[in-house]
């Protein structure tokens, strides 16, 4: 039904806002565009602004009860550690082609850890971030790999449970990025 589609779109808006992957004006443009296409009977401009404002208010209110540090802050500590170890971290990158391009453009890296926006949305809703880990030649890290063991160790050192499953590292973490200015 159209109400289900509206609910789905509002849930997506919530995740886009909370992910923090896009600057506010970029998020607005993307959200407005989706509303215009998926819900042509709605005023895309006004609806986008209303839904973003509502999602932000709920996010700000909810964030006051979050633990310190949040899983998001632990993730950022792990990502900083990986970066110091010459493992490129791409948060919310477009796709595997973007990850491959970034790896190709950065010689001397020991690997790349990357995930797409929908992985972040899953971590917001389900507390599980799936991270791809590749060697410099784009080969997937695999059990027994020193690179995989190192990445898993970095997540553990940050206080996050992580395991390798079906080609990706599953990090038990809720993406609780704190709202700017809240």
């Amino acid at each position: 039904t159209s109400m289900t589609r509206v609910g789905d779109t509002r849930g997506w808006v919530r995740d886009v806002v909370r992910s923090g992957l896009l600057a506010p004006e970029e998020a607005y443009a993307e959200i407005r565009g989706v509303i215009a296409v998926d819900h042509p009977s709605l005023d895309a401009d006004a609806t986008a602004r209303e839904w973003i404002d509502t999602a932000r208010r709920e996010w700000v209110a909810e964030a006051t009860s979050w633990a310190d540090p949040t899983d998001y802050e632990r993730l950022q500590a792990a990502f900083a550690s990986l970066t110091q170890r010459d493992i490129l971290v791409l948060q919310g990158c477009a796709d595997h082609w973007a990850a491959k391009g970034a790896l190709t453009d950065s010689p001397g890296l020991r690997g790349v850890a990357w995930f797409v926006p929908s992985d972040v949305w899953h971590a917001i809703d389900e507390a599980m971030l799936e991270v791809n880990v590749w060697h410099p030649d784009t080969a997937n890290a695999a059990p027994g790999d020193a690179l995989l063991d190192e990445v898993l160790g970095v997540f553990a050192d940050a206080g996050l449970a992580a395991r390798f499953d079906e080609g990706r590292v599953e990090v038990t973490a809720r993406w609780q990025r704190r709202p700017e200015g809240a």
Side-chain angles (χ1 to χ4, degrees):
T1 67
S2 64
M3 287 309 291
T4 302
R5 287 186 38 236
V6 165
D8 290 347
T9 304
R10 286 192 84 143
W12 170 77
V13 168
R14 172 187 175 271
D15 288 347
V16 168
V17 169
R18 288 177 181 230
S19 74
L21 297 174
L22 299 174
E25 58 279 358
E26 294 171 320
Y28 166 76
E30 185 162 324
I31 289 165
R32 186 194 179 288
V34 166
I35 291 169
V37 170
D38 290 355
H39 308 286
S41 65
L42 298 175
D43 175 335
D45 187 60
T47 302
R49 290 186 195 291
E50 176 191 335
W51 291 359
I52 289 168
D53 289 347
T54 298
R56 179 160 175 79
R57 275 194 312 277
E58 291 170 354
W59 179 28
V60 168
E62 206 176 289
T64 62
S65 68
W66 290 348
D68 197 18
T70 64
D71 287 350
Y72 172 83
E73 290 154 350
R74 287 184 180 96
L75 284 166
Q76 297 309 309
F79 297 153
S81 179
L82 290 172
T83 300
Q84 290 171 345
R85 296 161 182 259
D86 294 323
I87 298 168
L88 180 65
V89 177
L90 301 173
Q91 299 186 51
C93 75
D95 55 28
H96 72 280
W97 297 111
K100 183 176 181 177
L103 195 54
T104 303
D105 293 343
S106 305
L109 288 174
R110 296 179 47 240
V112 62
W114 63 275
F115 48 91
V116 298
S118 60
D119 295 320
V120 172
W121 306 334
H122 188 250
I124 290 169
D125 297 331
E126 304 297 331
M128 175 67 67
L129 180 67
E130 294 187 30
V131 180
N132 297 285
V133 179
W134 287 356
H135 290 277
D137 64 358
T138 72
N140 219 12
D145 255 335
L147 178 64
L148 177 61
D149 292 343
E150 183 176 0
V151 169
L152 292 173
V154 165
F155 285 122
D157 290 346
L160 297 166
R163 67 187 187 97
F164 187 77
D165 186 48
E166 297 181 10
R168 299 174 90 187
V169 174
E170 293 182 347
V171 185
T172 302
R174 188 167 299 280
W175 190 273
Q176 290 178 312
R177 185 177 181 274
R178 295 191 191 276
E180 300 292 325

